[in-house]
Amino acid sequence: YAIIDASNTLYKIEDNNAIKDRMKSVLILLIIIMLLIFLVLFSMLGNQILNILAENKNFKNIIDDLVIIYNAIKWPVTFLIIFLNIKIIYRIAPSKKIKSEETTIGAFITTVGWILSTAIFGYYINYFGRYDLVYGGLSNIIILLIWVYTLSFILILGIVINTMKYNKS
């Protein structure tokens, strides 16, 4: 609901239907949850999942082909899925009808930001993150919250970019 409220504030929309906004917020929440699960499973942990599959004797023959295919499609598929979903969020979030073309630049910048932050956090977690020595099991939650906070900031930044373009025209 905060995304809808921020969109309405930035687009300077004063009259809105609270029930309709709450229903839209549930849809936006589901989209964001699916995106986060996709980012964690496909982008950040994809190589580890393939390594686990490589240990299984049933997948031994095809795992090398899967690794090549995964490495080839990882970032283009990630970009496309994030871009389309962010564009949907930016289109339905305001309580005013916004054209799809008016959300493209913000969705593009948000997608690039999400991919970069996901790659940086994935790299950091794989090679440098040793918070478990200090914080124990809570370290994973701390890193996850920092990542989600960064993605949220980038999402709002995209809305701001879209409204700047919208208010110019």
Side-chain angles (χ1 to χ4, degrees):
Y1 186 75
I3 294 171
I4 294 171
D5 194 35
S7 294
N8 287 340
T9 302
L10 289 168
Y11 280 105
K12 298 175 183 160
I13 301 169
E14 293 179 14
D15 57 331
N16 53 355
N17 185 348
I19 296 172
K20 185 177 178 183
D21 286 350
R22 292 293 178 177
M23 291 188 329
K24 285 193 310 185
S25 69
V26 170
L27 177 64
I28 290 172
L29 177 66
L30 292 175
I31 292 171
I32 291 173
I33 288 171
M34 289 186 324
L35 275 174
L36 291 178
I37 290 171
F38 170 78
L39 284 172
V40 168
L41 292 179
F42 189 77
S43 299
M44 292 174 84
L45 300 177
N47 288 327
Q48 286 88 346
I49 292 171
L50 287 175
N51 290 338
I52 291 170
L53 290 176
E55 294 173 4
N56 190 339
K57 295 176 185 174
N58 297 333
F59 295 107
K60 201 71 164 168
N61 299 335
I62 61 169
I63 198 66
D64 294 332
D65 295 333
L66 284 175
V67 168
I68 292 170
I69 292 170
Y70 172 76
N71 288 330
I73 68 168
K74 177 180 178 180
W75 295 114
V77 167
T78 301
F79 182 86
L80 184 66
I81 289 176
I82 293 172
F83 180 76
L84 294 175
N85 283 295
I86 294 296
K87 200 163 170 66
I88 290 169
I89 290 171
Y90 286 166
R91 186 130 192 276
I92 65 174
S95 295
K96 182 181 192 180
K97 190 153 181 122
I98 304 296
K99 293 179 186 175
S100 181
E101 304 86 42
E102 295 173 353
T103 62
T104 303
I105 189 72
F108 179 79
I109 291 172
T110 301
T111 302
V112 170
W114 277 34
I115 289 174
L116 287 175
S117 66
T118 300
I120 290 168
F121 275 115
Y123 186 80
Y124 179 77
I125 288 171
N126 286 334
Y127 297 107
F128 297 109
R130 296 306 309 172
Y131 284 116
D132 57 336
L133 299 175
V134 177
Y135 296 111
L138 292 176
S139 65
N140 296 331
I141 295 171
I142 293 168
I143 295 298
L144 182 67
L145 289 175
I146 293 170
W147 177 63
V148 170
Y149 177 79
T150 305
L151 295 182
S152 301
F153 179 80
I154 295 169
L155 184 71
I156 296 299
L157 179 66
I159 294 172
V160 170
I161 291 169
N162 286 337
T163 56
M164 287 173 43
K165 182 182 175 191
Y166 178 82
N167 290 333
K168 274 186 179 180
S169 55

PDB file of all heavy atoms in Angstrom, residues 50 63-73:
ATOM      1  N   LEU A  50      22.389 -25.691  -9.287  1.00  0.00           N
ATOM      2  CA  LEU A  50      22.969 -26.567 -10.310  1.00  0.00           C
ATOM      3  C   LEU A  50      24.069 -27.445  -9.724  1.00  0.00           C
ATOM      4  O   LEU A  50      24.209 -28.614 -10.122  1.00  0.00           O
ATOM      5  CB  LEU A  50      23.495 -25.739 -11.475  1.00  0.00           C
ATOM      6  CG  LEU A  50      22.432 -25.122 -12.379  1.00  0.00           C
ATOM      7  CD1 LEU A  50      23.075 -24.233 -13.421  1.00  0.00           C
ATOM      8  CD2 LEU A  50      21.584 -26.187 -13.042  1.00  0.00           C
ATOM      9  N   ILE A  63      23.959 -32.092 -16.714  1.00  0.00           N
ATOM     10  CA  ILE A  63      24.255 -30.920 -15.888  1.00  0.00           C
ATOM     11  C   ILE A  63      25.195 -29.950 -16.595  1.00  0.00           C
ATOM     12  O   ILE A  63      25.049 -28.733 -16.456  1.00  0.00           O
ATOM     13  CB  ILE A  63      24.814 -31.325 -14.501  1.00  0.00           C
ATOM     14  CG1 ILE A  63      24.692 -30.167 -13.515  1.00  0.00           C
ATOM     15  CG2 ILE A  63      26.226 -31.789 -14.591  1.00  0.00           C
ATOM     16  CD1 ILE A  63      23.305 -29.799 -13.193  1.00  0.00           C
ATOM     17  N   ASP A  64      26.149 -30.448 -17.378  1.00  0.00           N
ATOM     18  CA  ASP A  64      27.061 -29.544 -18.091  1.00  0.00           C
ATOM     19  C   ASP A  64      26.302 -28.693 -19.107  1.00  0.00           C
ATOM     20  O   ASP A  64      26.572 -27.503 -19.252  1.00  0.00           O
ATOM     21  CB  ASP A  64      28.170 -30.335 -18.789  1.00  0.00           C
ATOM     22  CG  ASP A  64      29.096 -31.013 -17.794  1.00  0.00           C
ATOM     23  OD1 ASP A  64      29.235 -30.493 -16.670  1.00  0.00           O
ATOM     24  OD2 ASP A  64      29.671 -32.065 -18.138  1.00  0.00           O
ATOM     25  N   ASP A  65      25.340 -29.301 -19.802  1.00  0.00           N
ATOM     26  CA  ASP A  65      24.519 -28.550 -20.750  1.00  0.00           C
ATOM     27  C   ASP A  65      23.646 -27.532 -20.023  1.00  0.00           C
ATOM     28  O   ASP A  65      23.465 -26.410 -20.498  1.00  0.00           O
ATOM     29  CB  ASP A  65      23.638 -29.493 -21.574  1.00  0.00           C
ATOM     30  CG  ASP A  65      24.459 -30.409 -22.469  1.00  0.00           C
ATOM     31  OD1 ASP A  65      25.580 -30.006 -22.844  1.00  0.00           O
ATOM     32  OD2 ASP A  65      23.974 -31.518 -22.778  1.00  0.00           O
ATOM     33  N   LEU A  66      23.110 -27.923 -18.869  1.00  0.00           N
ATOM     34  CA  LEU A  66      22.286 -26.995 -18.086  1.00  0.00           C
ATOM     35  C   LEU A  66      23.092 -25.793 -17.599  1.00  0.00           C
ATOM     36  O   LEU A  66      22.589 -24.670 -17.592  1.00  0.00           O
ATOM     37  CB  LEU A  66      21.655 -27.712 -16.887  1.00  0.00           C
ATOM     38  CG  LEU A  66      20.472 -28.619 -17.162  1.00  0.00           C
ATOM     39  CD1 LEU A  66      20.053 -29.342 -15.887  1.00  0.00           C
ATOM     40  CD2 LEU A  66      19.321 -27.827 -17.716  1.00  0.00           C
ATOM     41  N   VAL A  67      24.328 -26.016 -17.214  1.00  0.00           N
ATOM     42  CA  VAL A  67      25.178 -24.914 -16.744  1.00  0.00           C
ATOM     43  C   VAL A  67      25.442 -23.941 -17.886  1.00  0.00           C
ATOM     44  O   VAL A  67      25.368 -22.719 -17.705  1.00  0.00           O
ATOM     45  CB  VAL A  67      26.501 -25.456 -16.147  1.00  0.00           C
ATOM     46  CG1 VAL A  67      27.508 -24.339 -15.919  1.00  0.00           C
ATOM     47  CG2 VAL A  67      26.232 -26.207 -14.860  1.00  0.00           C
ATOM     48  N   ILE A  68      25.716 -24.444 -19.071  1.00  0.00           N
ATOM     49  CA  ILE A  68      25.968 -23.574 -20.230  1.00  0.00           C
ATOM     50  C   ILE A  68      24.712 -22.784 -20.577  1.00  0.00           C
ATOM     51  O   ILE A  68      24.773 -21.568 -20.792  1.00  0.00           O
ATOM     52  CB  ILE A  68      26.452 -24.416 -21.437  1.00  0.00           C
ATOM     53  CG1 ILE A  68      27.829 -24.983 -21.141  1.00  0.00           C
ATOM     54  CG2 ILE A  68      26.470 -23.574 -22.710  1.00  0.00           C
ATOM     55  CD1 ILE A  68      28.301 -26.018 -22.136  1.00  0.00           C
ATOM     56  N   ILE A  69      23.577 -23.456 -20.604  1.00  0.00           N
ATOM     57  CA  ILE A  69      22.307 -22.778 -20.913  1.00  0.00           C
ATOM     58  C   ILE A  69      21.978 -21.750 -19.833  1.00  0.00           C
ATOM     59  O   ILE A  69      21.582 -20.618 -20.139  1.00  0.00           O
ATOM     60  CB  ILE A  69      21.167 -23.806 -21.071  1.00  0.00           C
ATOM     61  CG1 ILE A  69      21.392 -24.648 -22.321  1.00  0.00           C
ATOM     62  CG2 ILE A  69      19.808 -23.124 -21.124  1.00  0.00           C
ATOM     63  CD1 ILE A  69      20.468 -25.843 -22.431  1.00  0.00           C
ATOM     64  N   TYR A  70      22.147 -22.127 -18.581  1.00  0.00           N
ATOM     65  CA  TYR A  70      21.855 -21.205 -17.475  1.00  0.00           C
ATOM     66  C   TYR A  70      22.718 -19.953 -17.550  1.00  0.00           C
ATOM     67  O   TYR A  70      22.226 -18.842 -17.399  1.00  0.00           O
ATOM     68  CB  TYR A  70      22.051 -21.911 -16.130  1.00  0.00           C
ATOM     69  CG  TYR A  70      21.961 -20.989 -14.952  1.00  0.00           C
ATOM     70  CD1 TYR A  70      20.727 -20.535 -14.505  1.00  0.00           C
ATOM     71  CD2 TYR A  70      23.105 -20.539 -14.301  1.00  0.00           C
ATOM     72  CE1 TYR A  70      20.636 -19.667 -13.432  1.00  0.00           C
ATOM     73  CE2 TYR A  70      23.023 -19.673 -13.227  1.00  0.00           C
ATOM     74  CZ  TYR A  70      21.784 -19.245 -12.797  1.00  0.00           C
ATOM     75  OH  TYR A  70      21.705 -18.390 -11.740  1.00  0.00           O
ATOM     76  N   ASN A  71      24.011 -20.135 -17.776  1.00  0.00           N
ATOM     77  CA  ASN A  71      24.905 -18.977 -17.849  1.00  0.00           C
ATOM     78  C   ASN A  71      24.581 -18.085 -19.039  1.00  0.00           C
ATOM     79  O   ASN A  71      24.786 -16.877 -18.975  1.00  0.00           O
ATOM     80  CB  ASN A  71      26.364 -19.427 -17.893  1.00  0.00           C
ATOM     81  CG  ASN A  71      26.829 -19.960 -16.555  1.00  0.00           C
ATOM     82  OD1 ASN A  71      26.360 -19.541 -15.509  1.00  0.00           O
ATOM     83  ND2 ASN A  71      27.748 -20.910 -16.587  1.00  0.00           N
ATOM     84  N   ALA A  72      24.075 -18.668 -20.118  1.00  0.00           N
ATOM     85  CA  ALA A  72      23.738 -17.874 -21.303  1.00  0.00           C
ATOM     86  C   ALA A  72      22.450 -17.075 -21.106  1.00  0.00           C
ATOM     87  O   ALA A  72      22.343 -15.947 -21.580  1.00  0.00           O
ATOM     88  CB  ALA A  72      23.613 -18.785 -22.522  1.00  0.00           C
ATOM     89  N   ILE A  73      21.472 -17.640 -20.406  1.00  0.00           N
ATOM     90  CA  ILE A  73      20.165 -16.972 -20.295  1.00  0.00           C
ATOM     91  C   ILE A  73      19.930 -16.289 -18.954  1.00  0.00           C
ATOM     92  O   ILE A  73      18.924 -15.599 -18.797  1.00  0.00           O
ATOM     93  CB  ILE A  73      19.010 -17.955 -20.573  1.00  0.00           C
ATOM     94  CG1 ILE A  73      18.901 -19.010 -19.464  1.00  0.00           C
ATOM     95  CG2 ILE A  73      19.128 -18.577 -21.932  1.00  0.00           C
ATOM     96  CD1 ILE A  73      17.634 -19.812 -19.507  1.00  0.00           C
TER      97      ILE A  73
END
